[in-house]
Amino acid sequence: MSKKGKKAKMPLSDEEQLLLFQQKLLAEEEMAKKKERLLNQFLKDKLAKEEHNCALNLSKINTQWRTVLREVKTRELHKDIEILSRTFERVVDCKDGSLVKDLSEAEEQYAHALRSHLHNIDQLLALQRRRLSLLEESYNVELEALTKEFETERKTIIDQHEEEIHYLQDVFVAMEQNCLDSEYESKLEFQSMWEDLKNKNLEEKHFLRLQLEHTVEDLWRRFQDALKNYTDATEDRKIAFETLKAKDEKSCKEIEAQMKKIQRLQDSIIILKGKIMVHGRESEEQNQDIREDKELVLVQLRKLKAQRTQARGISQENLVKLTLESNATLKALRKIVDKGEKVLKLAEICRKFETEEEKVLPFYSSVLTPEEQDIKIDPEEFTEELGKVIMDYIGMENFWKRYNKVKLEQLSLQHRRAQLLEINEKLREMLKQYLDGISVSDEVLSQLSPRFIVNQSRNLPQPPSMPTAQPGGQKPPATYNIIEAAHVIAHIL
């Protein structure tokens, strides 16, 4: 404890005091930076809040201003709607009386036309059902024929493939059996030849042994006789010499006999080796031929498998093609049915816009002259394709009649609209001139006035004469209601 107290009471050096002072300065700088960052963040948040409040207040002002404008606009629109409703009620009251009778007549004509239209629709539906049934029957017949043909071809290919497989298996088994038989026969021949050679060698050895024994016995007898004579002549030396000589001859003979036997055995071994090599070559050649035959059979088997897979792929492609064509025909039939339903719906919609005359007589008679009807097509230009096209469009003759009639009526209405617009402009000019004639001013006096009459004629422009219908036309001349300008001005003012 005394040591620790002494260390704590020791004064700090200059370097340590400088380090502490630097650490304090760094801590103060960090605190100042933190304060600046917090202040900047606070100012940014306050600025964002102010911007948000400004945008919110501006949106509130805009919404209040829009509500004020909407109220003003709604008041103006209400006034306009009241004026329009009054005028509309007057027009409706005027037209109600005339339209009741037209409605009753139109209902009767509509009932008659609806009955005829429903009858025609039933006939068209029956015709379409018969056509669809015939197409379905032809499609089913073709589909059955194709499926039968496909099944027969598939069955024949499978049967042929199975027969070829059985034939190749039989050939392979027969070749293996022939190889085993030939190998067994060669082994038997080798064993028999080996036994024969062994027996021959034993017989020769036995024969040589007997022959040698006879010769040895004869020589022994002679040797005994000579020995007796020699012993009689020479005593000890002769006995020693004879004994050594006999031993030497006997060893030489034995050596020669053994050498001959060895030579014969080597010759027989060489002959047997040659025969074994010949048989081995023959067996190898036979095995090579069998291997080649086996490879050929395997190649043929691979070809047959490839043909089978190719035929299977072609049949699969044909089946896929058949399914795609059947799906395409079904889609085409669905499109035709949808087109027919669309045509019927359009016919029902067009029926609502038909006139009374069209409801009673839907198909007008031809307006062509006999000379135009007698026009013939040049036989050089008339071909089979043109004839087929004409026959295909014979059923559309009534449709084209009605289409052409509607087109002509559309053009006539457009022409009539242009005429009416021109008449309306002229009437506006007349009304303007009339109003100018009522008022008196320098500008009016400088222009033409209807009050001035020169040579019993007014200086107003005359309205155009109404066009009269031609005797060959189909529509009678139309009548128009003319309202005096003074009456219109009184109502407007």
Side-chain angles (χ1 to χ4, degrees):
M1 291 298 288
S2 62
K3 290 181 181 180
K4 287 182 180 179
K6 287 179 182 179
K7 286 181 181 179
K9 289 177 181 179
M10 284 176 70
L12 296 173
S13 63
D14 295 334
E15 293 178 357
E16 290 177 351
Q17 288 178 0
L18 182 62
L19 288 172
L20 287 172
F21 182 69
Q22 288 178 357
Q23 288 177 359
K24 287 180 181 179
L25 288 174
L26 290 172
E28 288 176 357
E29 288 178 358
E30 287 179 358
M31 289 296 291
K33 288 180 181 179
K34 285 182 180 179
K35 286 180 180 179
E36 288 179 359
R37 283 199 295 270
L38 290 171
L39 185 60
N40 290 327
Q41 187 67 32
F42 176 72
L43 292 173
K44 286 180 181 178
D45 294 337
K46 190 173 181 181
L47 181 62
K49 286 179 182 180
E50 290 294 331
E51 289 177 353
H52 179 69
N53 293 325
C54 290
L56 185 62
N57 293 324
L58 184 61
S59 64
K60 287 180 180 179
I61 291 166
N62 289 327
T63 52
Q64 289 177 0
W65 180 243
R66 284 171 187 167
T67 53
V68 172
L69 293 175
R70 284 196 192 100
E71 288 176 357
V72 174
K73 190 68 176 177
T74 50
R75 283 197 291 272
E76 291 177 357
L77 290 173
H78 279 303
K79 290 179 182 179
D80 294 335
I81 288 165
E82 286 177 359
I83 294 165
L84 291 172
S85 64
R86 289 172 186 172
T87 56
F88 178 73
E89 285 175 359
R90 284 198 300 270
V91 173
V92 168
D93 292 333
C94 293
K95 289 190 176 181
D96 279 341
S98 63
L99 290 174
V100 169
K101 293 179 181 179
D102 294 338
L103 283 172
S104 61
E105 293 176 358
E107 285 177 356
E108 292 176 358
Q109 292 176 0
Y110 173 73
H112 179 70
L114 182 63
R115 286 194 294 272
S116 63
H117 176 65
L118 291 173
H119 180 67
N120 292 327
I121 287 171
D122 293 333
Q123 288 180 354
L124 287 171
L125 287 172
L127 181 64
Q128 185 66 20
R129 288 193 187 96
R130 287 198 295 272
R131 184 169 173 274
L132 288 173
S133 63
L134 290 172
L135 289 172
E136 188 175 1
E137 288 176 358
S138 63
Y139 171 72
N140 291 325
V141 170
E142 291 178 358
L143 182 62
E144 288 178 359
L146 287 171
T147 50
K148 287 180 181 178
E149 186 178 356
F150 174 72
E151 290 294 333
T152 52
E153 289 181 357
R154 182 172 175 273
K155 190 175 180 181
T156 53
I157 289 167
I158 290 169
D159 295 335
Q160 187 178 2
H161 176 65
E162 289 178 355
E163 290 177 358
E164 290 176 354
I165 286 171
H166 290 309
Y167 174 71
L168 292 172
Q169 287 178 355
D170 295 335
V171 169
F172 186 71
V173 171
M175 292 176 72
E176 285 184 351
Q177 190 65 34
N178 290 325
C179 291
L180 292 172
D181 294 336
S182 61
E183 186 177 1
Y184 181 71
E185 288 177 358
S186 61
K187 285 181 180 180
L188 290 174
E189 288 178 358
F190 176 74
Q191 291 290 334
S192 62
M193 291 176 69
W194 185 71
E195 290 177 357
D196 292 335
L197 290 171
K198 186 177 180 181
N199 293 324
K200 284 180 181 179
N201 289 325
L202 291 172
E203 289 176 356
E204 288 177 358
K205 185 178 179 181
H206 185 67
F207 178 73
L208 288 172
R209 187 181 288 172
L210 293 173
Q211 192 174 5
L212 287 171
E213 286 178 354
H214 289 299
T215 52
V216 167
E217 287 178 356
D218 292 334
L219 290 171
W220 181 255
R221 289 173 187 169
R222 291 176 185 176
F223 179 71
Q224 291 294 331
D225 294 336
L227 183 59
K228 288 178 180 179
N229 295 324
Y230 185 73
T231 52
D232 293 337
T234 61
E235 294 172 355
D236 296 329
R237 290 181 179 178
K238 285 183 180 179
I239 293 167
F241 178 74
E242 289 294 334
T243 54
L244 291 171
K245 189 177 180 180
K247 287 180 181 180
D248 186 23
E249 288 178 356
K250 187 176 180 180
S251 62
C252 287
K253 287 178 180 179
E254 287 179 358
I255 288 165
E256 288 178 0
Q258 292 295 329
M259 289 296 290
K260 289 179 180 179
K261 195 183 289 184
I262 289 165
Q263 187 66 33
R264 288 175 184 174
L265 290 171
Q266 287 179 354
D267 293 336
S268 64
I269 287 165
I270 290 166
I271 291 165
L272 291 172
K273 284 182 179 179
K275 289 181 179 180
I276 289 165
M277 289 174 70
V278 170
H279 286 296
R281 288 173 185 173
E282 290 177 355
S283 63
E284 286 179 357
E285 289 176 358
Q286 290 178 358
N287 290 326
Q288 188 67 27
D289 295 333
I290 291 164
R291 289 192 192 97
E292 290 176 356
D293 294 334
K294 184 179 178 182
E295 289 177 356
L296 291 172
V297 170
L298 290 172
V299 170
Q300 290 179 358
L301 182 62
R302 290 193 193 96
K303 288 181 180 178
L304 291 171
K305 286 182 178 179
Q307 290 176 0
R308 184 188 68 183
T309 53
Q310 188 177 3
R312 188 178 293 171
I314 292 166
S315 62
Q316 189 72 22
E317 289 178 357
N318 291 327
L319 185 61
V320 171
K321 188 177 180 183
L322 180 63
T323 53
L324 291 173
E325 288 177 354
S326 63
N327 290 327
T329 52
L330 289 172
K331 288 179 181 178
L333 291 172
R334 289 195 192 97
K335 286 181 181 177
I336 290 166
V337 171
D338 294 336
K339 192 174 181 181
E341 291 177 354
K342 188 177 180 181
V343 168
L344 292 174
K345 288 178 181 178
L346 290 173
E348 290 178 358
I349 294 167
C350 293
R351 191 69 178 175
K352 296 177 182 179
F353 299 101
E354 288 180 352
T355 60
E356 295 175 359
E357 185 181 354
E358 289 175 348
K359 289 177 181 178
V360 177
L361 296 173
F363 303 108
Y364 65 91
S365 60
S366 179
V367 296
L368 297 175
T369 61
E371 294 177 356
E372 290 177 349
Q373 291 180 358
D374 292 336
I375 293 172
K376 294 182 180 179
I377 300 171
D378 190 2
E380 294 180 356
E381 297 178 357
F382 190 79
T383 58
E384 292 182 359
E385 295 179 357
L386 184 59
K388 289 179 182 179
V389 172
I390 290 169
M391 292 301 292
D392 290 336
Y393 286 96
I394 283 173
M396 301 291 288
E397 186 175 358
N398 292 325
F399 169 76
W400 289 119
K401 280 182 181 181
R402 296 190 71 179
Y403 180 77
N404 293 328
K405 184 180 178 183
V406 172
K407 201 72 177 174
L408 290 170
E409 287 180 355
Q410 184 184 1
L411 293 172
S412 65
L413 289 171
Q414 289 176 358
H415 182 64
R416 187 62 186 161
R417 184 174 180 275
Q419 289 179 354
L420 292 172
L421 289 172
E422 186 178 355
I423 292 165
N424 193 9
E425 289 294 329
K426 289 179 180 179
L427 289 172
R428 286 177 185 274
E429 289 177 1
M430 290 171 66
L431 180 61
K432 186 176 181 297
Q433 289 177 3
Y434 179 77
L435 293 172
D436 292 338
I438 293 170
S439 61
V440 177
S441 64
D442 294 335
E443 185 179 357
V444 172
L445 292 172
S446 66
Q447 297 177 358
L448 295 174
S449 179
R451 290 178 294 175
F452 299 147
I453 298 170
V454 180
N455 296 327
Q456 286 97 25
S457 63
R458 295 178 180 177
N459 59 356
L460 285 173
Q462 297 296 326
S465 59
M466 301 300 292
T468 58
Q470 297 294 329
Q474 297 193 5
K475 287 189 176 181
T479 59
Y480 303 98
N481 295 322
I482 298 170
I483 302 171
E484 291 183 0
H487 183 70
V488 174
I489 291 298
H491 281 286
I492 291 171
L493 295 174

